[in-house]
Amino acid sequence: RNSILTVACTRMLVIPSLIVAPWLLKRMSSKSVQMIGFVGCIIFNFLLAVAYKDIKKMTILFDALYIFQLSFQSLPGVSTMAISAEIFPSAVKGTGAAI
């Protein structure tokens, strides 16, 4: 039961990054937003993998790193849809992005 609550809380704490992602897309190119997301995922996944044995008992630190990783993970997800919509002509953007 505790693990279900932890997963639910970490997913809810990622919501602000889903709000920031479209804001970033209006201020930066979608490729830049995607690169920020990928680099952030690489860094935090690396930290979680390398330090796992040391931080698995420190729940708050582990959850914080996990939340940061999930936050960066949402950036490429949002920008992937934006990039696919940008590369098609206006008349077929919706169809092209959906395919």
Side-chain angles (χ1 to χ4, degrees), residues 30-64:
S30 50
K31 288 182 183 179
S32 297
V33 173
Q34 195 165 39
M35 287 306 297
I36 290 169
F38 286 139
V39 170
C41 282
I42 289 168
I43 291 169
F44 284 102
N45 279 328
F46 181 76
L47 288 173
L48 285 167
V50 170
Y52 179 73
K53 287 184 180 180
D54 297 328
I55 65 171
K56 69 180 178 181
K57 299 289 184 193
M58 297 180 244
T59 307
I60 293 174
L61 178 60
F62 182 83
D63 287 350

Side-chain angles (χ1 to χ4, degrees), residues 6-80:
T6 301
V7 170
C9 287
T10 56
R11 295 296 177 178
M12 302 253 311
L13 290 170
V14 174
I15 291 173
S17 69
L18 295 172
I19 294 168
V20 170
W23 180 80
L24 278 176
L25 283 171
K26 291 185 180 247
R27 310 247 172 334
M28 302 170 68
S29 71
S30 50
K31 288 182 183 179
S32 297
V33 173
Q34 195 165 39
M35 287 306 297
I36 290 169
F38 286 139
V39 170
C41 282
I42 289 168
I43 291 169
F44 284 102
N45 279 328
F46 181 76
L47 288 173
L48 285 167
V50 170
Y52 179 73
K53 287 184 180 180
D54 297 328
I55 65 171
K56 69 180 178 181
K57 299 289 184 193
M58 297 180 244
T59 307
I60 293 174
L61 178 60
F62 182 83
D63 287 350
L65 289 173
Y66 182 68
I67 289 167
F68 279 117
Q69 186 275 332
L70 285 175
S71 297
F72 279 106
Q73 186 177 343
S74 65
L75 292 177
V78 171
S79 60
T80 299

